[in-house]
């Protein structure tokens, strides 16, 4: 008896034959769907009468027939179906629902609402090709009177591949699906990509696509990527905004994104335009972002954008991937004038981005053949921080909106802006930072309410009288220079923040109308109409007018030239003056005024100019309650000193009882010896004066050193003798020597 598992050789052979037949048989067709595969393979025309399917065998099948009738067409299988002739059919009336509207009056544009379901479907794994490289092979029905283009009524779903091998201008309706829509390179046809497409696959532009026109808008809310290997040409209807959020890629030399807009319109690009070295057509990507920043053999990663009189915005404030990453060797950016309109490029990011290429105005790759015809804006979006790491070559304005930062120069290269000409101005309401390391630059026509920061080793020069910005000026390192009438008189504060910081006045006196502070060097003279804080070195003269105030902090103001107060009162001795207010914070004010001493603010010691002759000089305004202890060497209580041509008597109990005050006396420089003896006289040394432990400034000592006291407060008797030996030789010449009050 045979085992139940035994199968005869004849049965095995029969099963193998069945399996082979099943392997080559077409997939099952749903009930009511007509399979026209045999007709297509035989090149017979097909008249649709409902839903129809073609199963394409492996390899390439060229169909020389046409589809007509009423229904839908689904292309499936593992091969490629090439259509050599135009076909025209329609959906059944019951499935037609889309609303086509033309609006805009004298500037008409067309929109499609509630699109019809797809009339053509390309299933996954299958390729449908329109055309053989000529002008025919399209499936389409065109019943609409749409200005400017022919809208295809037959919408298409692409889950496989739709290849557009046509040399004419055409439209394929509304695209859906997840696959690939591709145009071969060198195929000089144009796809009118019109309307809103729910397509979530990849669009491969091999030669040219019109993505929006004045006659229709475009939207690709879900498209995964754009593989751009030709010219991606964007345009808009009047007063419309077109936003494309896709990343763009390219694999061939010279592809570009060209943007046009109508008045009142703009184009927003929120993705990034990169080279692609992996993923093929269906999933383009870049293995290393740095490839965008270095030249590749044969320049295959060279790509660009031409902005043709358009208003373009890179970013929408929700990303910090710059649209065009690269250098002049890998990208080009051109701003052109078109139809009487100049271009405008706005950077709108929520974090730092770097532009490594120049913005010019030449043709395609020759971007520096002419200046760019347009303006650049850094939008005031929170976190928007844009770096120009290349010399810019556009001829328009640069606007930094409030809250935004524009930096010139980075580790990738030095940056600059084109200067000269009526249009070339900077409107800075945010922050402009210059941090070039090698390339010195000039900036002119700089206005706005924003701040300027010099932080690079290379020199930045402000030129011309149109430097009018009102924000803070900060020099962190390197040199900020003024030339040809440029001033900082409108800047609300000028700060030098390191010993390497240098402010070059260009041979003219720096007019300080607000605040000058820090620890760097002012190369030139200073005219103080505001507040100057100690710690700086001034290589020229220091002149202070009636309104000016010198605030002495932890370190002295060093002046190489003359020190002149208002009214011509010259305080200079030996060409130098210095003032020191001890260590730590201070709550005292030393002032020179034409009346009573000025009140003290926490953390300040100051010298204020008055008119000549000065009746009373408050050297130290002690704002606390404790007595002032000690005395300056040689300046005991009541000692007479001479300042210019006036004799003063010093007291350590002046003002409200604990201030150091000089009061003009009736005594002349030729007073008798007995008069001098009665008041006391001594050499002006550097013995410290300090306040008690309690009170507003505690125990900190305050000293006006020899440069300003030892040199300026000269005992009257010594002045009459023409000088004498300084006593207390064990102390540092001209420096503070504090003794803390207890």
């Amino acid at each position: 008896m045979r085992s139940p598992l035994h199968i005869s050789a004849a049965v095995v052979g029969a099963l193998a034959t069945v399996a082979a037949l099943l392997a080559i048989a077409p997939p099952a067709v749903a009930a009511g769907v007509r399979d026209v595969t045999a007709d297509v393979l035989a090149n017979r025309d097909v008249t649709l009468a409902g839903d129809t399917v073609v199963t394409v065998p492996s390899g390439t099948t060229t169909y020389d027939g046409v589809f007509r009738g009423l229904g839908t067409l689904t292309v499936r299988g593992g091969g490629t179906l090439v259509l050599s002739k135009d076909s025209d059919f329609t959906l059944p009336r019951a499935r037609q629902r889309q609303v086509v509207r033309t609006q805009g009056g004298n500037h008409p544009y067309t929109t499609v609402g509630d699109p019809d379901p797809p009339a053509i479907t390309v299933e996954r794994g299958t390729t449908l090709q329109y055309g053989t490289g000529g002008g025919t092979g399209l499936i389409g029905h065109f019943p609409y009177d749409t200005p400017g283009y022919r809208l295809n009524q037959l919408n298409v779903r692409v889950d496989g591949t739709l290849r557009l091998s046509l040399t004419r201008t055409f439209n394929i309706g509304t695209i859906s699906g997840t696959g690939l829509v591709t145009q071969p390179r060198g195929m000089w046809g144009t796809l009118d990509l019109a309307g809103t497409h729910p397509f979530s696959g990849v669009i491969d532009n091999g030669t040219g696509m019109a993505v929006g026109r004045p006659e229709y808008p475009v939207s690709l809310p879900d498209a995964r990527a754009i593989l751009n290997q030709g010219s991606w040409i964007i345009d808009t209807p009047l007063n419309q905004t077109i936003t494309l959020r896709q990343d763009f890629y390219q694999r061939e030399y010279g592809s570009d994104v060209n943007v046009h807009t109508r008045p009142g319109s703009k184009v927003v690009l929120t993705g990034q335009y990169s080279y692609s070295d992996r993923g093929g057509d269906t999933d383009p990507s870049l293995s290393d972002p740095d490839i965008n920043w270095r030249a590749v053999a044969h320049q295959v990663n060279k790509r660009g954008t031409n902005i043709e009189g358009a208003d373009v915005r890179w970013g929408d404030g929700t990303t910090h991937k710059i649209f065009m990453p690269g250098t002049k060797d890998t990208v080009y950016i051109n701003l052109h004038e078109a139809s009487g309109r100049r271009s405008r490029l706005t950077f709108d990011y929520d974090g730092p981005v770097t532009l490594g290429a120049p913005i010019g105005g030449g043709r395609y790759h020759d971007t520096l053949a002419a200046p760019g015809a347009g303006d650049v804006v850094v939008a005031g979006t929170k976190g928007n921080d844009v770096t120009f790491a290349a010399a810019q070559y556009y001829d328009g304005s640069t606007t930094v909106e409030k809250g935004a930062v524009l930096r010139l120069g980075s580790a990738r290269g030095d940056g600059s802006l084109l200067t000269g000409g009526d249009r070339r101005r900077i409107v800075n309401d945010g922050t402009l930072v210059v941090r070039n390391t090698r390339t010195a630059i000039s900036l002119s026509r700089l206005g706005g309410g924003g701040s300027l920061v010099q932080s690079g080793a290379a020199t930045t020069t402000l030129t011309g009288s149109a430097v009018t910005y009102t924000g803070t000026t900060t020099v962190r390192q390197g040199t900020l220079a003024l030339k040809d009438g440029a001033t900082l008189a409108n800047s609300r504060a000028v700060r030098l923040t390191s010993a390497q910081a240098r402010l070059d006045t260009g041979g003219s006196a720096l007019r300080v109308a607000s605040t000058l502070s820090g620890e760097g060097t002012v190369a030139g003279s200073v005219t103080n109409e505001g507040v100057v804080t100690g710690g700086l070195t001034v290589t020229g003269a220091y002149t202070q007018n009636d309104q000016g105030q010198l605030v002495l902090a932890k370190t002295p103001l060093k002046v190489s030239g003359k020190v002149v107060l208002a009214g011509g009162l010259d305080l200079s001795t030996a060409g130098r003056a210095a003032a020191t207010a001890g260590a730590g914070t201070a709550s005292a004010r030393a002032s020179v005024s034409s009346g009573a001493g000025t009140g003290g603010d926490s953390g300040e010691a100051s010298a204020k100019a008055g008119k000549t002759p000065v009746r009373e000089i408050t050297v130290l305004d002690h704002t606390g309650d404790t007595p002032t202890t000690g005395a300056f060497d040689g300046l005991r209580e009541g000692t007479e000193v001479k300042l210019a041509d006036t004799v003063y008597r010093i007291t350590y109990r002046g003002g409200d009882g604990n201030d150091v005050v000089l009061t003009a006396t009736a005594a002349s420089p030729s007073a008798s010896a007995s008069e001098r003896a009665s008041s006391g006289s001594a050499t002006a040394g550097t013995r410290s004066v300090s306040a008690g432990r309690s009170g507003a400034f505690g125990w900190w000592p305050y000293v006006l050193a020899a440069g300003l006291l030892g040199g300026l407060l000269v005992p009257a008797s010594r002045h009459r003798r023409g000088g004498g030996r300084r006593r207390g030789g064990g102390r540092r010449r001209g420096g503070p020597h504090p003794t803390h009050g207890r």
Side-chain angles (χ1 to χ4, degrees):
M1 178 176 159
R2 293 183 179 179
S3 166
L5 298 178
H6 178 74
I7 302 176
S8 67
V11 173
V12 171
L15 291 174
T17 300
V18 171
L21 291 173
L22 290 174
I24 63 173
V29 176
V33 176
R34 177 187 171 196
D35 188 338
V36 296
T37 302
D39 294 313
V40 170
L41 294 179
N43 277 324
R44 292 191 291 265
D45 292 349
V46 174
T47 299
L48 278 58
D51 295 334
T52 307
V53 63
V54 176
T55 303
V56 185
S58 60
T60 299
T61 298
T62 300
Y63 178 50
D64 294 325
V66 297
F67 297 99
R68 60 173 64 94
L70 193 69
T72 66
L73 176 66
T74 297
V75 182
R76 64 181 185 178
T80 298
L81 177 63
V82 179
L83 307 181
S84 64
K85 295 181 180 179
D86 288 348
S87 293
D88 184 347
F89 60 85
T90 61
L91 280 176
R93 177 66 63 182
R95 298 189 189 182
Q96 296 180 24
R97 67 186 185 218
Q98 65 188 22
V99 178
V100 177
R101 296 180 58 214
T102 297
Q103 53 199 308
N106 293 329
H107 303 278
Y109 64 94
T110 301
T111 60
V112 176
D114 195 14
D116 290 342
I120 304 108
T121 298
V122 184
E123 290 191 351
R124 189 179 303 278
T126 306
T127 298
L128 174 62
Q129 178 174 315
Y130 286 171
T132 58
T136 58
L138 174 70
I139 299 177
H141 185 68
F142 305 95
Y144 308 115
D145 182 17
T146 50
Y149 79 113
R150 299 179 71 204
L151 174 63
N152 195 336
Q153 187 185 38
L154 303 182
N155 301 328
V156 58
R157 178 180 178 89
V158 182
D159 292 317
T161 299
L162 177 62
R163 182 178 296 129
L164 307 173
S165 189
L166 296 167
T167 56
R168 75 195 207 203
T169 299
F170 59 96
N171 176 262
I172 57 175
T174 299
I175 310 169
S176 59
T178 61
L180 172 68
V181 176
T182 179
Q183 179 195 52
R185 279 182 61 78
M187 190 61 57
W188 297 102
T190 300
L191 170 64
D192 277 331
L193 195 57
T196 298
H197 302 271
F199 182 63
S200 60
V202 174
I203 299 176
D204 171 18
N205 172 38
T207 307
M209 293 186 182
V211 189
R213 287 186 187 268
E215 296 82 13
Y216 58 78
V218 71
S219 178
L220 297 168
D222 302 312
R224 190 163 69 251
I226 306 299
L227 181 58
N228 184 39
Q229 304 187 86
S231 289
W232 183 268
I233 305 170
I234 308 172
D235 207 336
T236 69
L238 201 69
N239 298 314
Q240 298 282 313
T241 295
I242 303 297
T243 300
L244 298 177
R245 302 188 181 280
Q246 291 71 39
D247 284 339
F248 286 71
Y249 295 93
Q250 58 87 237
R251 293 196 305 267
E252 302 288 345
Y253 169 81
S255 67
D256 51 33
V257 175
N258 300 320
V259 188
H260 309 253
T261 61
R262 304 303 108 187
S265 299
K266 63 176 174 283
V267 170
V268 180
L269 302 170
T270 69
Q272 189 169 81
Y273 191 9
S274 296
Y275 179 64
S276 174
D277 61 356
R278 65 183 182 185
D281 294 349
T282 58
D283 189 23
S285 62
L286 182 61
S287 61
D288 179 4
D290 196 57
I291 295 175
N292 282 325
W293 294 87
R294 63 175 186 263
V296 175
H298 310 297
Q299 292 187 291
V300 293
N301 65 336
K302 187 71 174 281
R303 59 211 181 280
T305 184
N306 297 290
I307 300 176
E308 307 292 346
D311 186 349
V312 178
R313 184 173 292 251
W314 288 359
D316 66 346
T318 65
T319 179
H320 53 275
K321 287 195 312 182
I322 195 167
F323 182 68
M324 292 287 286
T327 71
K328 63 181 179 61
D329 298 318
T330 61
V331 302
Y332 63 87
I333 305 162
N334 293 320
L335 304 183
H336 295 143
E337 183 174 334
S339 301
R341 295 188 302 273
R342 291 166 52 81
S343 293
R344 176 186 176 99
L345 176 59
T346 299
F347 296 84
D348 187 5
Y349 295 103
D350 63 358
V353 298
T354 297
L355 179 71
I359 301 172
R363 291 294 168 185
Y364 305 107
H365 307 270
D366 193 13
T367 187
L368 298 181
D375 306 314
V376 170
V377 177
V378 182
T381 302
K382 183 178 181 181
N384 196 17
D385 191 326
V386 179
T387 295
F388 288 172
Q392 299 307 311
Y393 196 52
Y394 56 90
D395 68 3
S397 63
T398 303
T399 299
V400 185
E401 294 182 350
K402 185 177 181 180
V405 178
L406 174 60
R407 302 177 191 270
L408 302 180
S410 74
R412 290 193 179 272
D414 289 346
S416 65
L417 299 174
L418 198 61
T419 59
D422 293 339
R423 290 193 176 105
R424 299 167 190 170
R425 64 183 183 276
I426 305 168
V427 181
N428 176 29
D429 290 319
T431 302
L432 176 61
V433 182
V434 186
R435 51 180 181 173
N436 283 358
T437 59
R438 298 175 301 277
T439 307
I441 65 168
S442 294
L443 300 175
S444 61
R445 298 173 62 87
L446 174 56
S451 60
L452 173 67
V453 179
Q454 162 67 22
S455 65
T459 297
T460 300
T461 302
L462 305 182
T463 65
S465 59
V467 176
T468 59
Y469 69 94
T470 60
T472 300
T473 303
T474 303
V475 184
R476 292 176 181 162
Q477 66 169 325
T479 298
L480 178 65
L482 306 178
K483 184 180 178 181
D484 297 337
T487 74
L488 299 179
N490 296 299
S491 179
R492 71 172 57 97
V494 181
R495 299 168 181 161
L496 283 66
T497 63
S498 74
Q500 292 74 42
R502 188 171 185 267
L503 178 59
D504 189 340
T505 68
S508 301
L510 173 68
R511 178 183 167 222
V512 179
S514 53
T515 301
L516 172 64
S517 63
E519 54 179 321
T521 299
V522 177
S525 300
V526 171
T527 298
N528 182 17
E529 300 173 5
V531 177
V532 173
T533 300
L536 297 166
T537 297
V538 178
T539 65
Y542 174 78
T543 303
Q544 189 162 284
N545 76 353
D546 288 329
Q547 304 302 316
Q549 189 175 30
L550 174 63
V551 178
L552 307 177
K554 299 179 183 180
T555 51
L557 171 69
K558 299 178 181 178
V559 181
S560 298
K562 301 175 69 175
V563 178
V564 181
L565 301 183
L569 182 61
D570 189 347
L571 301 183
S572 301
T573 58
R576 296 185 60 83
T580 304
T585 60
S587 294
R589 178 187 295 263
S591 65
V592 180
S593 66
S594 59
T598 60
D601 294 330
S602 177
E604 294 185 344
S606 67
K608 184 175 181 180
K611 296 181 177 179
T612 305
V614 179
R615 183 178 62 82
E616 186 175 275
I617 301 173
T618 301
V619 177
L620 186 68
D621 186 350
H622 179 5
T623 61
D625 297 328
T626 57
T628 298
T629 61
F632 295 105
D633 280 357
L635 296 176
R636 67 187 184 187
E637 177 70 25
T639 300
E640 289 182 353
V641 296
K642 183 178 181 182
L643 183 58
D645 294 325
T646 304
V647 176
Y648 295 86
R649 181 174 288 115
I650 191 167
T651 178
Y652 299 90
R653 298 187 294 274
D656 56 6
N658 57 4
D659 301 331
V660 182
V661 176
L662 297 174
T663 303
T665 70
S668 68
S670 60
S672 66
S674 61
E675 289 175 324
R676 295 195 302 273
S678 66
S679 63
S681 65
T683 302
T686 58
R687 183 176 176 183
S688 69
V689 180
S690 62
R693 178 178 297 274
S694 63
F697 62 97
W699 56 269
W700 297 104
Y702 292 92
V703 178
L704 297 183
L708 194 56
L709 271 180
L712 305 182
L713 303 185
V714 182
S717 58
R718 175 184 165 192
H719 182 84
R720 287 193 295 273
R721 291 195 301 268
R725 183 181 299 273
R726 181 182 299 275
R727 292 189 291 174
R731 304 192 188 281
R732 292 180 294 167
R733 178 178 176 85
H737 186 87
T739 56
H740 297 170
R742 296 291 182 186

